[in-house]
Coordinates of all heavy atoms in Angstrom, one line a residue:
M83 N 273.0 64.9 -18.6 CA 273.7 65.9 -17.9 C 272.7 66.8 -17.1 O 273.0 67.2 -16.1 CB 274.4 66.9 -18.9 CG 275.8 66.3 -19.3 SD 276.8 66.5 -17.9 CE 278.3 66.7 -18.7
S84 N 271.5 67.0 -17.7 CA 270.5 67.8 -17.0 C 270.0 67.2 -15.6 O 269.5 67.9 -14.8 CB 269.4 68.2 -17.9 OG 268.6 66.9 -18.2
E85 N 270.1 65.9 -15.5 CA 269.6 65.3 -14.3 C 270.6 65.4 -13.2 O 270.3 65.2 -12.0 CB 269.4 63.8 -14.6 CG 268.2 63.5 -15.5 CD 267.9 62.1 -15.6 OE1 268.3 61.2 -14.7 OE2 267.4 61.7 -16.7
Q86 N 271.9 65.8 -13.4 CA 272.9 65.8 -12.5 C 272.6 66.9 -11.3 O 272.8 66.5 -10.1 CB 274.3 66.0 -13.1 CG 275.5 65.8 -12.2 CD 275.6 64.3 -12.0 OE1 274.8 63.5 -12.2 NE2 276.8 64.0 -11.5
P87 N 272.2 68.1 -11.7 CA 272.0 69.0 -10.7 C 270.8 68.7 -9.8 O 270.6 69.0 -8.7 CB 271.8 70.4 -11.4 CG 272.4 70.2 -12.7 CD 272.3 68.7 -13.0
D88 N 269.8 68.0 -10.4 CA 268.6 67.7 -9.6 C 268.8 66.6 -8.6 O 268.0 66.5 -7.7 CB 267.5 67.2 -10.7 CG 267.0 68.4 -11.6 OD1 267.1 69.5 -11.1 OD2 266.4 68.1 -12.6
R89 N 269.7 65.8 -8.9 CA 269.9 64.6 -8.0 C 270.2 65.0 -6.6 O 269.5 64.5 -5.7 CB 271.2 63.7 -8.6 CG 271.3 62.4 -7.9 CD 270.0 61.6 -8.4 NE 270.3 60.3 -7.9 CZ 269.3 59.4 -7.7 NH1 268.0 59.9 -7.9 NH2 269.4 58.4 -7.2
P90 N 271.1 66.0 -6.2 CA 271.4 66.3 -4.9 C 270.1 66.9 -4.3 O 269.8 66.7 -3.1 CB 272.5 67.3 -4.9 CG 273.3 67.0 -6.1 CD 272.1 66.5 -7.1
E91 N 269.3 67.7 -5.0 CA 268.1 68.2 -4.5 C 267.1 67.1 -4.0 O 266.5 67.2 -3.1 CB 267.5 69.2 -5.5 CG 266.2 69.9 -5.0 CD 265.7 70.9 -6.0 OE1 266.4 71.6 -6.7 OE2 264.4 70.9 -6.2
Q92 N 266.9 66.1 -4.9 CA 266.1 64.9 -4.7 C 266.6 64.3 -3.3 O 265.7 63.8 -2.6 CB 266.0 64.0 -5.8 CG 265.3 64.6 -7.0 CD 265.3 63.6 -8.2 OE1 266.1 62.7 -8.2 NE2 264.5 63.9 -9.2
D93 N 267.8 64.1 -3.2 CA 268.4 63.4 -2.0 C 268.1 64.2 -0.8 O 267.7 63.7 0.3 CB 269.9 63.2 -2.2 CG 270.3 62.2 -3.2 OD1 269.4 61.4 -3.5 OD2 271.5 62.2 -3.6
V94 N 268.2 65.5 -0.9 CA 268.0 66.5 0.3 C 266.4 66.3 0.6 O 266.1 66.2 1.7 CB 268.4 67.9 -0.1 CG1 267.8 68.8 1.0 CG2 269.9 68.1 -0.1
Q95 N 265.6 66.3 -0.4 CA 264.2 66.2 -0.1 C 263.7 64.9 0.5 O 262.9 64.9 1.4 CB 263.3 66.4 -1.5 CG 263.4 67.8 -2.0 CD 262.6 68.0 -3.3 OE1 262.2 66.9 -4.0 NE2 262.4 69.2 -3.7
R96 N 264.4 63.8 0.0 CA 264.2 62.5 0.7 C 264.6 62.5 2.1 O 263.9 62.0 3.0 CB 264.9 61.5 -0.2 CG 264.6 60.1 0.4 CD 265.3 59.0 -0.5 NE 266.7 59.3 -0.7 CZ 267.7 59.1 0.2 NH1 267.5 58.6 1.3 NH2 269.1 59.4 -0.2
E97 N 265.8 63.0 2.4 CA 266.3 63.0 3.8 C 265.3 63.9 4.6 O 265.1 63.6 5.8 CB 267.7 63.6 3.8 CG 268.7 62.6 3.2 CD 270.1 63.2 3.2 OE1 270.4 64.1 4.1 OE2 270.9 62.8 2.5
V98 N 264.9 65.1 4.1 CA 263.9 65.9 4.9 C 262.7 65.1 5.2 O 262.2 65.2 6.3 CB 263.7 67.2 4.2 CG1 262.5 68.0 4.9 CG2 264.9 68.1 4.1
T99 N 262.2 64.5 4.2 CA 260.9 63.6 4.5 C 261.2 62.6 5.5 O 260.3 62.4 6.4 CB 260.5 63.1 3.1 OG1 260.3 64.1 2.1 CG2 259.2 62.3 3.3
E100 N 262.3 62.0 5.4 CA 262.6 60.9 6.5 C 262.7 61.5 7.9 O 262.2 60.9 8.8 CB 263.8 60.1 6.1 CG 263.8 59.3 4.9 CD 265.1 58.6 4.5 OE1 266.1 58.9 5.2 OE2 265.1 57.9 3.5
L101 N 263.3 62.6 7.9 CA 263.5 63.3 9.3 C 262.2 63.8 9.7 O 262.0 63.7 11.0 CB 264.5 64.4 9.2 CG 266.0 64.0 8.9 CD1 266.8 65.2 8.7 CD2 266.4 63.2 10.2
E102 N 261.3 64.3 8.9 CA 260.1 64.7 9.4 C 259.2 63.5 10.0 O 258.6 63.7 10.9 CB 259.3 65.4 8.3 CG 259.7 66.7 7.9 CD 259.0 67.3 6.7 OE1 258.4 66.5 6.0 OE2 259.2 68.5 6.4
G103 N 259.3 62.4 9.4 CA 258.6 61.2 9.8 C 259.1 60.7 11.2 O 258.4 60.4 12.1
K104 N 260.5 60.7 11.3 CA 261.1 60.4 12.5 C 260.7 61.3 13.7 O 260.5 61.0 14.7 CB 262.6 60.3 12.4 CG 263.1 59.1 11.6 CD 264.6 59.1 11.5 CE 265.1 58.0 10.6 NZ 266.5 57.8 10.5
S105 N 260.7 62.7 13.3 CA 260.4 63.7 14.3 C 258.9 63.5 14.8 O 258.7 63.6 16.0 CB 260.6 65.1 13.7 OG 260.1 66.0 14.6
A106 N 258.1 63.2 13.8 CA 256.6 63.1 14.3 C 256.4 61.8 15.2 O 255.7 61.8 16.2 CB 255.7 62.8 13.0
T107 N 257.2 60.7 14.9 CA 257.1 59.5 15.7 C 257.7 59.9 17.1 O 257.2 59.5 18.1 CB 258.0 58.4 15.0 OG1 257.4 58.2 13.8 CG2 258.0 57.1 15.9
A108 N 258.8 60.6 17.2 CA 259.4 60.9 18.5 C 258.5 61.8 19.2 O 258.3 61.7 20.5 CB 260.7 61.6 18.2
A109 N 257.7 62.7 18.6 CA 256.8 63.7 19.2 C 255.7 62.9 19.9 O 255.3 63.1 21.0 CB 256.3 64.7 18.3
R110 N 255.2 61.8 19.2 CA 254.1 61.0 19.8 C 254.6 60.2 20.8 O 253.9 60.0 21.9 CB 253.5 60.2 18.7 CG 252.5 61.0 17.7 CD 251.7 60.0 16.8 NE 252.5 59.2 16.0 CZ 252.9 59.5 14.7 NH1 252.6 60.8 14.3 NH2 253.6 58.8 14.0
L111 N 255.8 59.6 20.8 CA 256.4 58.8 21.8 C 256.6 59.5 23.0 O 256.4 59.1 24.2 CB 257.8 58.1 21.3 CG 258.5 57.1 22.2 CD1 257.5 56.0 22.5 CD2 259.8 56.7 21.7
F112 N 257.2 60.8 23.0 CA 257.5 61.5 24.2 C 256.5 62.6 24.3 O 256.8 63.7 24.9 CB 258.9 62.2 23.9 CG 260.0 61.2 23.9 CD1 260.6 60.9 22.8 CD2 260.3 60.5 25.1 CE1 261.7 60.0 22.7 CE2 261.3 59.5 25.1 CZ 262.0 59.2 23.9
D113 N 255.2 62.3 24.1 CA 254.1 63.2 24.4 C 254.1 63.5 26.0 O 254.2 62.6 26.9 CB 252.8 62.6 24.1 CG 251.6 63.6 24.1 OD1 251.8 64.7 24.7 OD2 250.6 63.2 23.5
I114 N 254.0 64.7 26.4 CA 254.1 65.1 27.8 C 253.1 64.5 28.6 O 253.2 64.1 29.8 CB 254.1 66.7 28.0 CG1 254.5 67.0 29.4 CG2 252.7 67.2 27.6 CD1 255.9 66.9 29.6
R115 N 251.8 64.2 28.0 CA 250.7 63.5 28.7 C 251.3 62.0 29.1 O 250.8 61.6 30.2 CB 249.5 63.4 27.9 CG 249.0 64.9 27.6 CD 247.8 64.8 26.6 NE 248.3 64.3 25.4 CZ 247.5 64.2 24.3 NH1 246.2 64.4 24.4 NH2 248.0 63.8 23.1
R116 N 252.0 61.4 28.2 CA 252.4 60.0 28.6 C 253.3 60.1 29.9 O 253.3 59.3 30.7 CB 253.0 59.4 27.4 CG 253.5 58.1 27.6 CD 254.3 57.5 26.3 NE 253.5 57.7 25.2 CZ 252.8 56.9 24.4 NH1 252.8 55.7 24.9 NH2 252.2 57.2 23.4
I117 N 254.3 61.0 29.8 CA 255.3 61.0 30.8 C 254.6 61.4 32.1 O 254.9 60.9 33.1 CB 256.3 62.2 30.4 CG1 257.1 61.7 29.2 CG2 257.4 62.4 31.6 CD1 258.0 62.6 28.6
I118 N 253.8 62.6 32.1 CA 253.1 62.9 33.4 C 252.3 61.9 33.9 O 252.2 61.5 35.1 CB 252.4 64.2 33.2 CG1 253.3 65.4 33.0 CG2 251.5 64.6 34.3 CD1 252.6 66.7 32.5
G119 N 251.4 61.3 33.0 CA 250.5 60.2 33.4 C 251.3 59.0 34.0 O 250.9 58.5 35.0
G120 N 252.4 58.6 33.3 CA 253.1 57.4 33.9 C 253.7 57.7 35.2 O 253.7 56.9 36.1
L121 N 254.3 58.9 35.4 CA 254.9 59.2 36.6 C 253.9 59.3 37.8 O 254.1 58.8 38.9 CB 255.7 60.5 36.6 CG 257.0 60.4 35.8 CD1 257.7 61.8 35.7 CD2 257.9 59.4 36.5
F122 N 252.7 59.9 37.5 CA 251.7 60.0 38.5 C 251.1 58.6 38.9 O 250.9 58.3 40.1 CB 250.6 60.9 38.1 CG 250.7 62.3 38.6 CD1 251.2 63.3 37.7 CD2 250.5 62.7 39.9 CE1 251.4 64.6 38.1 CE2 250.6 64.0 40.4 CZ 251.0 65.0 39.5
V123 N 251.0 57.7 37.9 CA 250.5 56.4 38.2 C 251.6 55.6 39.0 O 251.2 55.0 40.1 CB 250.2 55.6 37.0 CG1 250.0 54.1 37.2 CG2 249.0 56.1 36.3
L124 N 252.9 55.7 38.6 CA 253.9 55.1 39.4 C 254.0 55.6 40.8 O 254.0 54.9 41.8 CB 255.2 55.3 38.7 CG 256.4 54.7 39.4 CD1 256.4 53.2 39.4 CD2 257.7 55.2 38.8
Y125 N 254.1 56.9 41.0 CA 254.1 57.5 42.3 C 252.8 57.2 43.2 O 252.8 56.9 44.4 CB 254.4 59.0 42.3 CG 255.8 59.2 41.8 CD1 256.1 60.4 41.1 CD2 256.9 58.4 42.0 CE1 257.4 60.6 40.6 CE2 258.2 58.6 41.6 CZ 258.4 59.9 40.9 OH 259.5 60.1 40.3
G126 N 251.7 57.2 42.4 CA 250.4 56.9 43.1 C 250.3 55.5 43.6 O 249.9 55.2 44.7
V127 N 250.9 54.6 43.0 CA 250.9 53.2 43.5 C 251.8 53.1 44.7 O 251.4 52.5 45.7 CB 251.4 52.2 42.3 CG1 251.8 50.9 42.9 CG2 250.4 52.1 41.3
I128 N 253.0 53.8 44.6 CA 253.8 53.8 45.7 C 253.2 54.4 47.0 O 253.3 53.8 48.1 CB 255.3 54.4 45.4 CG1 256.0 53.6 44.3 CG2 256.2 54.6 46.6 CD1 257.2 54.2 43.7
V129 N 252.6 55.6 46.8 CA 252.1 56.2 47.9 C 250.8 55.5 48.5 O 250.6 55.5 49.7 CB 251.8 57.8 47.6 CG1 251.0 58.4 48.7 CG2 253.1 58.4 47.2
T130 N 250.1 55.0 47.6 CA 248.8 54.1 48.0 C 249.3 53.0 48.8 O 248.7 52.6 49.9 CB 248.0 53.7 46.8 OG1 247.7 54.8 46.1 CG2 246.8 52.9 47.3
I131 N 250.4 52.2 48.4 CA 250.9 51.1 49.2 C 251.3 51.5 50.6 O 251.1 50.9 51.6 CB 251.9 50.3 48.5 CG1 251.4 49.6 47.2 CG2 252.7 49.3 49.3 CD1 252.3 49.0 46.3
T132 N 252.0 52.6 50.5 CA 252.4 53.2 51.9 C 251.3 53.6 52.7 O 251.3 53.3 54.0 CB 253.3 54.6 51.6 OG1 254.4 54.2 50.8 CG2 253.8 55.1 52.9
G133 N 250.2 54.1 52.2 CA 249.0 54.5 52.9 C 248.3 53.2 53.5 O 247.8 53.3 54.6
L134 N 248.3 52.2 52.8 CA 247.8 50.9 53.1 C 248.5 50.2 54.3 O 248.0 49.6 55.1 CB 247.5 49.9 52.0 CG 246.6 50.4 50.9 CD1 246.6 49.4 49.7 CD2 245.1 50.4 51.5
T135 N 249.8 50.5 54.3 CA 250.6 49.9 55.4 C 251.0 50.8 56.5 O 251.8 50.4 57.4 CB 251.9 49.3 54.8 OG1 252.7 50.4 54.1 CG2 251.6 48.3 53.6
D136 N 250.4 52.0 56.5 CA 250.7 53.0 57.6 C 250.2 52.4 58.9 O 249.2 51.7 59.0 CB 250.0 54.3 57.4 CG 250.9 55.2 56.6 OD1 252.1 54.9 56.4 OD2 250.3 56.3 56.1
D137 N 251.0 52.7 60.0 CA 250.5 52.2 61.3 C 249.7 53.4 62.0 O 249.5 54.5 61.5 CB 251.7 51.9 62.2 CG 252.8 53.0 62.3 OD1 252.6 54.1 61.6 OD2 253.6 53.0 63.1
K138 N 249.1 53.1 63.1 CA 248.3 54.1 63.9 C 249.0 55.4 64.2 O 248.4 56.4 64.1 CB 247.7 53.3 65.2 CG 246.9 54.1 65.9 CD 245.5 54.1 65.4 CE 244.5 54.6 66.4 NZ 243.6 55.7 65.8
A139 N 250.3 55.3 64.5 CA 251.0 56.5 64.8 C 251.1 57.5 63.6 O 250.9 58.7 63.8 CB 252.5 56.2 65.3
A140 N 251.3 57.0 62.5 CA 251.4 57.9 61.2 C 250.0 58.4 61.0 O 249.9 59.7 60.6 CB 251.8 57.1 60.0
I141 N 248.9 57.7 61.2 CA 247.6 58.2 60.9 C 247.2 59.3 62.0 O 246.6 60.4 61.7 CB 246.5 57.1 60.9 CG1 246.9 56.2 59.7 CG2 245.2 57.6 60.9 CD1 246.0 54.9 59.6
D142 N 247.7 59.0 63.3 CA 247.4 60.0 64.3 C 248.2 61.2 64.2 O 247.7 62.3 64.5 CB 247.7 59.4 65.7 CG 246.7 58.2 66.2 OD1 245.6 58.3 65.5 OD2 247.0 57.5 67.0
K143 N 249.3 61.2 63.6 CA 250.1 62.3 63.3 C 249.5 63.3 62.3 O 249.6 64.5 62.3 CB 251.5 61.9 62.8 CG 252.6 62.9 62.7 CD 253.9 62.3 62.3 CE 255.0 63.2 62.2 NZ 256.3 62.7 61.8
A144 N 248.7 62.7 61.4 CA 247.9 63.5 60.5 C 246.5 63.7 60.9 O 245.6 63.9 60.1 CB 247.9 62.7 59.1
E145 N 246.3 63.8 62.2 CA 245.0 64.1 62.8 C 243.9 63.1 62.4 O 242.8 63.5 62.1 CB 244.6 65.5 62.6 CG 245.5 66.5 63.1 CD 245.1 68.0 62.9 OE1 243.9 68.2 62.5 OE2 245.9 68.8 63.2
G146 N 244.2 61.8 62.3 CA 243.3 60.8 62.0 C 242.9 60.5 60.5 O 242.0 59.7 60.2
I147 N 243.6 61.2 59.7 CA 243.4 61.0 58.3 C 244.6 60.2 57.6 O 245.7 60.6 57.9 CB 243.3 62.4 57.5 CG1 242.0 63.2 58.0 CG2 243.1 62.2 56.0 CD1 242.0 64.6 57.6
N148 N 244.3 59.2 57.0 CA 245.3 58.4 56.3 C 245.7 59.2 55.0 O 245.2 58.9 53.9 CB 244.8 57.0 55.9 CG 245.9 56.1 55.5 OD1 247.0 56.5 55.2 ND2 245.6 54.8 55.6
I149 N 246.5 60.2 55.1 CA 246.9 61.1 54.1 C 247.6 60.4 53.0 O 247.5 60.8 51.9 CB 247.7 62.3 54.7 CG1 247.7 63.5 53.7 CG2 249.1 61.9 55.1 CD1 246.5 64.3 53.6
N150 N 248.4 59.5 53.3 CA 249.1 58.8 52.3 C 248.2 58.0 51.3 O 248.4 58.0 50.0 CB 250.2 57.8 52.8 CG 251.4 58.5 53.3 OD1 251.8 59.6 52.9 ND2 252.1 57.9 54.4
L151 N 247.2 57.4 51.9 CA 246.2 56.7 51.1 C 245.4 57.6 50.2 O 245.4 57.4 49.0 CB 245.2 55.9 52.0 CG 244.2 55.0 51.3 CD1 244.8 53.9 50.5 CD2 243.3 54.5 52.4
W152 N 244.9 58.7 50.8 CA 244.1 59.6 50.0 C 245.0 60.3 48.8 O 244.6 60.5 47.7 CB 243.4 60.6 50.8 CG 242.3 60.0 51.6 CD1 242.3 59.7 52.9 CD2 241.1 59.5 51.1 NE1 241.2 59.0 53.2 CE2 240.4 58.9 52.1 CE3 240.5 59.5 49.8 CZ2 239.0 58.3 51.8 CZ3 239.3 58.8 49.6 CH2 238.6 58.3 50.7
T153 N 246.2 60.6 49.2 CA 247.1 61.3 48.2 C 247.4 60.3 47.1 O 247.4 60.7 46.0 CB 248.4 61.8 48.9 OG1 247.9 62.7 50.0 CG2 249.2 62.4 47.9
G154 N 247.7 59.1 47.5 CA 248.0 58.0 46.5 C 246.8 57.7 45.6 O 247.1 57.6 44.4
L155 N 245.7 57.7 46.1 CA 244.6 57.5 45.3 C 244.4 58.7 44.3 O 244.0 58.6 43.2 CB 243.3 57.3 46.1 CG 243.3 55.9 46.9 CD1 242.1 55.8 47.8 CD2 243.3 54.7 45.9
G156 N 244.5 59.9 44.8 CA 244.3 61.1 44.0 C 245.5 61.0 42.8 O 245.1 61.4 41.7
M157 N 246.6 60.7 43.2 CA 247.7 60.7 42.2 C 247.4 59.6 41.2 O 247.6 59.8 40.0 CB 249.1 60.3 42.8 CG 249.6 61.5 43.7 SD 251.1 61.1 44.6 CE 252.3 61.3 43.4
L158 N 246.9 58.4 41.6 CA 246.5 57.4 40.6 C 245.4 57.9 39.6 O 245.4 57.6 38.4 CB 246.0 56.2 41.3 CG 246.9 55.2 41.8 CD1 246.4 54.1 42.7 CD2 247.6 54.5 40.7
L159 N 244.5 58.6 40.2 CA 243.3 59.1 39.4 C 243.8 60.2 38.3 O 243.5 60.1 37.2 CB 242.2 59.7 40.2 CG 241.4 58.7 41.0 CD1 240.4 59.4 41.8 CD2 240.6 57.8 40.0
L160 N 244.7 61.0 38.8 CA 245.2 62.0 37.9 C 246.1 61.4 36.8 O 245.9 61.8 35.6 CB 246.1 63.0 38.7 CG 246.6 64.2 37.9 CD1 245.6 65.1 37.3 CD2 247.6 65.1 38.7
G161 N 246.9 60.5 37.2 CA 247.7 59.7 36.2 C 246.9 59.0 35.2 O 247.2 59.0 33.9
L162 N 245.8 58.2 35.6 CA 244.9 57.6 34.8 C 244.1 58.6 33.9 O 243.9 58.2 32.7 CB 243.9 56.7 35.5 CG 244.6 55.5 36.2 CD1 243.5 54.8 37.1 CD2 245.2 54.6 35.2
F163 N 243.8 59.8 34.4 CA 243.1 60.8 33.5 C 244.2 61.2 32.4 O 243.6 61.3 31.2 CB 242.9 62.0 34.4 CG 242.6 63.2 33.5 CD1 241.3 63.4 32.9 CD2 243.4 64.2 33.5 CE1 241.0 64.5 32.1 CE2 243.1 65.4 32.7 CZ 241.9 65.5 32.1
F164 N 245.4 61.5 32.7 CA 246.3 61.8 31.7 C 246.5 60.7 30.6 O 246.5 61.0 29.4 CB 247.7 62.2 32.2 CG 247.8 63.7 32.7 CD1 247.7 64.0 33.9 CD2 248.1 64.6 31.7 CE1 247.8 65.3 34.4 CE2 248.2 65.9 32.1 CZ 248.0 66.2 33.4
L165 N 246.6 59.5 31.0 CA 246.8 58.4 30.1 C 245.4 58.1 29.3 O 245.5 57.8 28.1 CB 247.1 57.1 30.8 CG 248.6 57.2 31.5 CD1 248.8 55.9 32.3 CD2 249.7 57.4 30.4
T166 N 244.3 58.3 29.9 CA 243.1 58.3 29.2 C 242.9 59.3 28.1 O 242.5 59.1 27.0 CB 241.9 58.3 30.1 OG1 242.0 57.2 31.1 CG2 240.5 58.0 29.4
W167 N 243.4 60.5 28.5 CA 243.3 61.6 27.6 C 244.3 61.4 26.4 O 243.9 61.7 25.2 CB 243.8 62.9 28.4 CG 243.9 64.2 27.7 CD1 243.2 64.5 26.5 CD2 244.6 65.3 27.9 NE1 243.4 65.8 26.1 CE2 244.3 66.4 27.0 CE3 245.5 65.6 29.0 CZ2 245.0 67.5 27.0 CZ3 246.1 66.9 29.0 CH2 245.9 67.8 28.0
L168 N 245.4 60.8 26.7 CA 246.3 60.5 25.6 C 245.7 59.5 24.7 O 245.8 59.6 23.4 CB 247.6 60.0 26.2 CG 248.6 59.5 25.1 CD1 249.2 60.7 24.4 CD2 249.8 58.8 25.9
K169 N 245.0 58.5 25.1 CA 244.4 57.5 24.3 C 243.2 57.9 23.6 O 243.0 57.6 22.4 CB 243.9 56.3 25.3 CG 243.5 55.1 24.6 CD 244.8 54.4 24.1 CE 244.4 52.9 23.7 NZ 245.5 52.3 23.1
L170 N 242.4 58.8 24.2 CA 241.2 59.3 23.5 C 241.5 60.4 22.4 O 240.8 60.6 21.4 CB 240.2 59.8 24.5 CG 239.5 58.8 25.4 CD1 238.6 59.4 26.4 CD2 238.8 57.7 24.6
R171 N 242.6 61.2 22.7 CA 242.9 62.4 21.9 C 244.4 62.3 21.5 O 245.2 63.1 22.0 CB 242.6 63.6 22.5 CG 241.2 63.8 23.0 CD 240.3 64.6 22.3 NE 240.9 65.8 21.7 CZ 240.1 66.7 21.1 NH1 238.8 66.5 21.0 NH2 240.6 67.7 20.5
P172 N 244.9 61.3 20.7 CA 246.2 61.1 20.3 C 246.8 62.4 19.5 O 246.0 63.1 19.0 CB 246.3 59.8 19.6 CG 244.9 59.8 19.1 CD 244.0 60.3 20.1
T173 N 248.0 62.4 19.6 CA 248.7 63.5 18.7 C 248.4 63.2 17.3 O 248.6 62.1 16.8 CB 250.2 63.6 19.1 OG1 250.4 63.7 20.4 CG2 250.8 64.7 18.3
A174 N 248.0 64.3 16.6 CA 247.6 64.1 15.2 C 248.9 63.9 14.3 O 250.0 64.6 14.6 CB 246.9 65.4 14.7
P175 N 248.9 63.0 13.4 CA 250.1 62.8 12.6 C 250.2 64.0 11.6 O 249.3 64.7 11.3 CB 249.7 61.6 11.7 CG 248.3 61.4 11.8 CD 247.8 62.0 13.1
P176 N 251.4 64.4 11.3 CA 251.6 65.5 10.5 C 251.0 65.3 9.1 O 250.9 64.2 8.6 CB 253.1 65.6 10.3 CG 253.7 64.3 10.5 CD 252.7 63.6 11.5
P177 N 250.5 66.3 8.4 CA 250.0 66.2 7.0 C 251.0 65.7 6.1 O 252.3 65.9 6.3 CB 249.6 67.6 6.7 CG 250.4 68.6 7.6 CD 250.7 67.8 8.8
P178 N 250.7 65.0 5.0 CA 251.7 64.5 4.1 C 252.3 65.7 3.5 O 251.7 66.7 3.2 CB 250.8 63.7 3.2 CG 249.4 64.1 3.2 CD 249.3 64.7 4.6
P179 N 253.7 65.5 3.1 CA 254.3 66.5 2.5 C 253.8 66.9 1.1 O 253.5 66.0 0.4 CB 255.8 66.1 2.4 CG 255.7 64.6 2.6 CD 254.5 64.3 3.4
Q180 N 253.8 68.1 0.8 CA 253.3 68.5 -0.6 C 254.6 68.7 -1.4 O 255.5 69.4 -1.1 CB 252.6 69.9 -0.5 CG 251.3 69.9 0.3 CD 250.2 69.1 -0.4 OE1 250.2 69.1 -1.6 NE2 249.4 68.5 0.3
S181 N 254.6 68.0 -2.5 CA 255.7 68.1 -3.5 C 255.5 69.3 -4.3 O 254.3 69.6 -4.6 CB 256.0 66.8 -4.2 OG 254.8 66.5 -5.1
P182 N 256.6 70.0 -4.8 CA 256.3 71.1 -5.7 C 255.7 70.8 -7.0 O 255.2 71.6 -7.6 CB 257.7 71.7 -5.8 CG 258.7 70.7 -5.2 CD 257.9 69.6 -4.6
D183 N 255.8 69.5 -7.4 CA 255.2 69.1 -8.7 C 253.6 69.1 -8.7 O 253.0 69.4 -9.7 CB 255.7 67.7 -9.1 CG 257.1 67.6 -9.1 OD1 257.8 68.6 -8.8 OD2 257.7 66.5 -9.3
T184 N 253.0 68.7 -7.5 CA 251.6 68.6 -7.5 C 251.0 69.9 -7.1 O 251.5 70.7 -6.3 CB 251.2 67.6 -6.5 OG1 251.7 67.9 -5.2 CG2 251.6 66.2 -6.8
P185 N 249.8 70.2 -7.7 CA 249.1 71.5 -7.5 C 248.3 71.5 -6.2 O 248.0 70.5 -5.7 CB 248.2 71.7 -8.7 CG 248.1 70.4 -9.5 CD 249.2 69.6 -8.9

């Protein structure tokens, strides 16, 4: 009979522990550095390709500078910086939960 009231509390603790684990996984998956880096790399590739295929009129319009090429390369570098930063300094996993039984 004495175990009956403890049972729902153990279930709640187990569910909380599972949710904390899922939350930490989601936080690492949706790290803002991954999203920003990925978008900058994607747009950088598109703008760089546009810069490589620009005609003379588009370059003359920008006073002789292939602005699409330079902007695309800059975006690629920035995106790669964010992705490298994510790889070198990943989000730290949460500390293991402390149970009330252990000191």
Side-chain angles (χ1 to χ4, degrees):
M83 278 291 210
S84 65
E85 290 183 30
Q86 197 70 342
D88 293 335
R89 194 69 175 154
E91 184 178 318
Q92 289 175 350
D93 290 342
V94 170
Q95 287 177 351
R96 182 180 46 81
E97 288 179 23
V98 167
T99 304
E100 288 175 4
L101 288 174
E102 286 175 345
K104 288 179 183 178
S105 175
T107 301
R110 283 192 298 274
L111 181 63
F112 294 110
D113 189 348
I114 193 74
R115 296 174 293 179
R116 181 184 313 260
I117 295 168
I118 291 173
L121 286 174
F122 267 101
V123 167
L124 176 68
Y125 294 146
V127 167
I128 292 169
V129 174
T130 301
I131 290 171
T132 303
L134 291 172
T135 59
D136 271 348
D137 58 348
K138 180 82 170 126
I141 295 173
D142 289 341
K143 191 175 183 180
E145 298 183 12
I147 299 170
N148 193 343
I149 196 75
N150 285 332
L151 179 63
W152 289 108
T153 303
L155 291 174
M157 292 173 78
L158 273 171
L159 287 175
L160 183 63
L162 290 174
F163 166 75
F164 272 98
L165 294 176
T166 303
W167 179 24
L168 176 68
K169 191 73 167 174
L170 294 177
R171 308 254 324 185
T173 305
Q180 295 289 331
S181 64
D183 304 358
T184 58

